[in-house]
Amino acid sequence: MAQAAEEVGFDSIWIGDHLLYHGDGRPERGPWDAWTLLAGLAGVTERVAIGPLVACTAFRRPGLLARAAATVDELSGGRLVLALGAGWNEPEYHAFGIPFDHRVERFAEALQIIGPLLDGERVTFSGAYETVTDAVLLPRPARRPPLMVGATGPRMLAAALPHVDAWNTWYDAYGNTPEGFAELNATIDEAARAAGRDPSLIGRSACALVVLDRAAGERPIPDGMPPVEGSPGEIAAHLHDLAEAGADEAILVVSPIDERSIRVLGETLAALDRGR
């Protein structure tokens, strides 16, 4: 599937970072480990950016997460985008013995360790939840991967926007419409200014729910939330409108997600190219 995505012209491939999926009405499920899979994808692709969507800082100690990110970036030849978040799915925390409390505060402390380590710095930090002493990544990272935050809450944005290069939102946070994205995107401008950042320096990334086959029923469609569907040209038109609303990047959450869907969406990419 990754090789097909690269072949038809996608710019990036994203892997969810979860331990278990619960609570969406479907049978219990779980994906492969995100960082192990990203390392594998680094070896079978050549051009596309790769990244976790998003890496939960609670699942790994921040120094070890930084080490994994630096390694995958090296293996991929500098193609990693490190997207980070605090997580949300409480049952998987409890299943694996991970604290679910004070997630924003824990995230903020982790970010103060991960960023400097990836910058090649030697880090000593002592917080309420995280501590490192004279930590350093060896071999030293060849570069710092771009950092992206996946969050919409004011406290998460206040913690992350001073440090990250991009912001991402899931489709249910903006209703999966260009108008909804434009409205949410305006609040990110405000949050960036409040954090002392020029909003134009923060990239904007929008996940979009694309349904190619409703009968497949692979991913539930939220009530009152229109999925992106139709012909390649119609899907391309929606993505064009999403860009006009301020999105620099659209990450397609596809139902069903398989190689056939990826190749079908290659026709959408061709339609986008023709429209430029």
Side-chain angles (χ1 to χ4, degrees):
M1 289 168 63
Q3 289 172 330
E6 188 167 63
E7 179 184 329
V8 302
F10 279 97
D11 298 311
S12 57
I13 297 170
W14 302 86
I15 302 298
D17 185 22
H18 279 281
L19 309 176
L20 292 171
Y21 295 123
H22 287 288
D24 61 1
R26 290 180 285 175
E28 184 177 72
R29 301 168 297 129
W32 284 324
D33 176 73
W35 287 101
T36 309
L37 185 53
L38 285 167
L41 294 182
V44 298
T45 57
E46 298 178 354
R47 176 186 56 78
V48 289
I50 57 176
L53 196 68
V54 294
C56 179
T57 56
F59 291 169
R60 299 161 189 84
R61 305 313 294 262
L64 300 183
L65 178 54
R67 276 181 58 83
T71 302
V72 169
D73 193 56
E74 180 71 23
L75 291 174
S76 67
R79 292 186 283 125
L80 177 74
V81 178
L82 180 53
L84 299 169
W88 57 271
N89 189 29
E90 187 171 357
E92 64 185 332
Y93 285 73
H94 295 321
F96 284 84
I98 299 168
F100 191 71
D101 63 319
H102 303 289
R103 285 177 298 132
V104 175
E105 292 83 357
R106 293 177 187 274
F107 172 85
E109 289 191 6
L111 199 58
Q112 292 183 66
I113 296 170
I114 293 167
L117 283 175
L118 289 171
D119 280 329
E121 298 178 18
R122 189 175 294 271
V123 180
T124 294
F125 176 87
S126 180
Y129 307 101
E130 301 292 350
T131 299
V132 293
T133 304
D134 206 26
V136 64
L137 298 185
L138 297 174
R140 290 187 183 275
R143 63 160 200 155
R144 192 199 78 169
L147 299 181
M148 182 164 73
V149 63
T152 55
R155 290 195 301 147
M156 281 289 291
L157 293 173
L161 291 182
H163 309 286
V164 300
D165 305 291
W167 162 81
N168 170 266
T169 182
W170 198 246
Y171 56 82
D172 61 2
Y174 69 94
N176 210 46
T177 67
E179 297 78 13
F181 181 80
E183 183 176 344
L184 179 58
N185 194 37
T187 70
I188 303 305
D189 287 346
E190 296 172 6
R193 284 190 284 265
R197 292 288 303 281
D198 180 346
S200 68
L201 299 179
I202 298 173
R204 312 303 167 97
S205 171
C207 293
L209 175 61
V210 178
V211 175
L212 298 180
D213 182 0
R214 285 187 177 238
E218 184 176 287
R219 180 176 291 273
I221 301 173
D223 292 338
M225 185 176 300
V228 183
E229 54 189 339
S231 68
E234 289 170 322
I235 297 173
H238 179 97
L239 297 178
H240 176 270
D241 291 345
L242 198 57
E244 290 293 306
D248 300 304
E249 171 183 66
I251 298 176
L252 307 187
V253 183
V254 186
S255 181
I257 180 60
D258 53 26
E259 184 177 344
R260 180 181 180 278
S261 291
I262 290 167
R263 295 195 179 279
V264 167
L265 287 170
E267 300 173 20
T268 292
L269 299 181
L272 275 172
D273 287 339
R274 289 193 296 270
R276 286 173 180 165

